Amino acid sequence: MSALFAPIELRGLKLKNRIMVSPMCQYSAEDGVANDWHFTHINNLALSGASIFCIEATHVEAIGRITPGCLGLYSDACEAALVPILASVRKHSTAAVAMQIAHAGRKASSAKPWDGGQLIPADKGGWRPVAPSAVPHKEEEAAPIALDAAGLKRIRDAFVDSTRRAARLGIDAIELHGAHGYLMHQFLSPISNHRTDEYGGSLQNRMRYPLEIFDAVRAAFPHDKPVGIRVSSTDWIEGGWDLAQTIAFCKELKKRGVDWIDASSGGVSPKQKIPLGPGYQVQFAEAIRREVGVTTFAVGLITEPKHAEEIVSTGKADMVALARGMLYDPRWGWHAAAELGGTVDAPPQYWRSQPSTQKALFGQTTFGAR
C-alpha cells in the first residue's frame, strides 16, 4: 500500500491521504473580499485528489494584508463572500478545507508580484505597516510602526475574531502563518525583532507573542478541530532564526496542543541565501518530527509522486503540501494515485476519465449508456 495514500488523523479530522494543497496567495480580492476568481481557484483545486485544501493566507485586519489584493476575514463582507464558495466545495468535493490565517506585519502594503511586489508608499495607495520594531524589510524602505501594547492586543483580538468567523464558516482546520517574514515570524527572528521589552531579546521573549496568538486561536476554535502552524525553520542568514530555535519553539507549541508543523523557511530578509532544489526543506520537517515528536508537513519543490512517497514512507514527514505543482497540474493527486497504486475521490461527472489501466483509481464506480 502506498504510504502517501494511507489515512491520517489530525485531532478529530480524518484524512484519506497525506497530500495537502498548500495555501497560495492569489492577490485577487477586493478589500479582503473573495470573488469569482477565488470560486474558480478553490473549487478547481478541491478536486485535485488531495485530502485537504488550505485557503490562502487570509488576513486578520486590513493593514495586515500583504497586498491590497490579499484575502481577509476581518469583516462581515469577507465572511459572507466565502459562504457560496465553501457551499460549492462541500457539494462537489470530499476534501477537507483548512484556512491559513495571517498578518503580514512589515511586509504589508506591497504591490502584487506581477506589479513588482515592492512596498507601496502611503501616498501611492498603500499604508504604513506595523511590526515588532521600527526596522524596515529593506534598508531603503520607510520604517514600519513599532507595535505598542494596544497594537499587540488589537492584533491578537483580530486573530481570535477571524478564527471565530472561520469556525462559523465550517472551516475544518486552521493553519497559523508563522513563516516567510510575516508578523509572527518577525517576532521570532532577531533580524526583525529589536524590542527591549518582554517581547524581545531572549528566545523566550521572542517566542512570547506568537505563542500568545496560538493560545488565543486554539481557545477560539472548536476543540475537536485541528490547529497547525507554518514556520520558517531558518532565516538562511548568519545570526538569524535557525533550526535549533525552531525546535525550541515547536516544543512549546507541542505543550499547547499544536496539531501539525508545516516546515518552510526564509522570507524575513532579502539578504537570505537559499540553496534551492527538489525537497530542499524536507530536512527541516524531518528534524522537527524527530526532535519534537509532532506531526510535520514537508513543503518546497516537491513535484514528483515517487519523491512524495519516499518522504512519507521513510518517516521524514507525515504529509506533503504542494503549491506550484498543483497549479501546474490541478489533478496531481489523481496522477500520483495512478502511479503509486492509490485511490482518490472524484465526482461522478469525471469518472469516465480514469485510464483503461486504472479501473480502480476512483474506487467503485459505475458508468452506463445506451
Side-chain angles (χ1 to χ4, degrees):
M1 180 180 179
S2 165
L4 191 64
F5 287 90
I8 187 172
E9 291 189 27
L10 302 173
R11 197 168 287 246
L13 182 62
K14 297 180 180 180
L15 302 176
K16 293 183 178 181
N17 62 49
R18 309 299 184 94
I19 307 166
M20 180 171 82
V21 179
S22 269
M24 292 177 273
C25 290
Q26 298 298 293
Y27 314 105
S28 300
E30 298 175 16
D31 191 17
V33 176
N35 53 40
D36 56 350
W37 175 260
H38 298 89
F39 188 100
T40 299
H41 170 71
I42 293 172
N43 276 274
N44 180 29
L45 290 183
L47 298 176
S48 68
S51 63
I52 182 169
F53 172 92
C54 190
I55 295 173
E56 67 191 88
T58 305
H59 298 87
V60 301
E61 64 173 0
I63 65 167
R65 291 172 296 160
I66 305 165
T67 75
C70 281
L71 194 64
L73 192 52
Y74 49 76
S75 70
D76 291 346
C78 291
E79 184 177 342
L82 289 168
V83 171
I85 297 174
L86 290 167
S88 181
V89 171
R90 301 304 191 191
K91 183 177 181 180
H92 301 295
S93 169
T94 62
V97 181
M99 175 180 281
Q100 186 183 70
I101 57 173
H103 193 294
R106 69 179 188 175
K107 290 180 79 173
S109 190
S110 297
K112 297 175 183 180
W114 48 83
D115 292 328
Q118 301 307 300
L119 178 68
I120 305 172
D123 61 355
K124 302 290 187 181
W127 59 88
R128 186 92 178 270
V130 297
S133 306
V135 179
H137 182 68
K138 291 185 174 180
E139 293 176 359
E140 66 273 17
E141 293 176 349
I145 299 169
L147 286 161
D148 58 13
L152 294 174
K153 181 180 185 303
R154 183 193 76 246
I155 292 173
R156 191 167 53 241
D157 290 348
F159 270 93
V160 170
D161 179 65
S162 292
T163 299
R164 288 174 176 160
R165 291 181 183 275
R168 284 200 296 267
L169 287 165
I171 295 295
D172 298 305
I174 291 289
E175 179 175 273
L176 282 168
H177 202 342
H180 301 166
Y182 300 123
L183 185 70
M184 291 178 69
H185 182 191
Q186 289 163 27
F187 272 90
L188 293 170
S189 176
I191 300 294
S192 47
N193 185 345
H194 296 184
R195 298 177 75 98
T196 57
D197 62 3
E198 69 269 30
Y199 293 108
S202 68
L203 174 60
Q204 181 180 5
N205 282 358
R206 284 182 281 117
M207 293 191 301
R208 190 184 308 277
Y209 190 61
L211 290 173
E212 287 180 1
I213 291 175
F214 178 85
D215 287 343
V217 167
R218 178 63 277 178
F221 202 53
H223 178 74
D224 62 332
K225 293 187 175 185
V227 176
I229 185 170
R230 174 166 284 199
V231 299
S232 274
S233 306
T234 177
D235 287 340
W236 299 106
I237 295 175
E238 186 74 25
W241 183 253
D242 58 22
L243 181 58
Q245 294 175 87
T246 299
I247 288 170
F249 180 50
C250 291
K251 287 180 177 178
E252 291 301 317
L253 288 163
K254 183 182 180 182
K255 293 176 186 176
R256 291 162 165 81
V258 73
D259 292 294
W260 75 81
I261 304 294
D262 188 344
S264 190
S265 68
V268 85
S269 169
K271 297 178 180 179
Q272 65 190 13
K273 302 293 183 183
I274 303 178
L276 294 175
Y280 72 101
Q281 297 179 135
V282 174
Q283 58 178 314
F284 305 129
E286 183 178 13
I288 292 166
R289 189 175 188 266
R290 180 181 64 248
E291 298 297 327
V292 183
V294 66
T295 297
T296 60
F297 291 11
V299 301
L301 300 182
I302 300 167
T303 60
E304 299 301 320
K306 287 181 180 177
H307 185 201
E309 175 75 11
E310 184 269 336
I311 290 167
V312 175
S313 66
T314 58
K316 293 176 181 176
D318 298 280
M319 293 187 65
V320 296
L322 283 78
R324 297 174 208 188
M326 288 287 183
L327 292 182
Y328 190 72
D329 178 4
R331 300 292 178 265
W332 190 92
W334 296 15
H335 302 147
E339 183 173 332
L340 300 172
T343 62
V344 290
D345 290 335
Q349 294 92 330
Y350 288 178
W351 283 354
R352 75 180 89 182
S353 71
Q354 61 186 359
S356 60
T357 56
Q358 301 287 336
K359 291 300 186 183
L361 181 61
F362 300 148
Q364 287 191 321
T365 61
T366 58
F367 204 88
R370 68 182 183 94

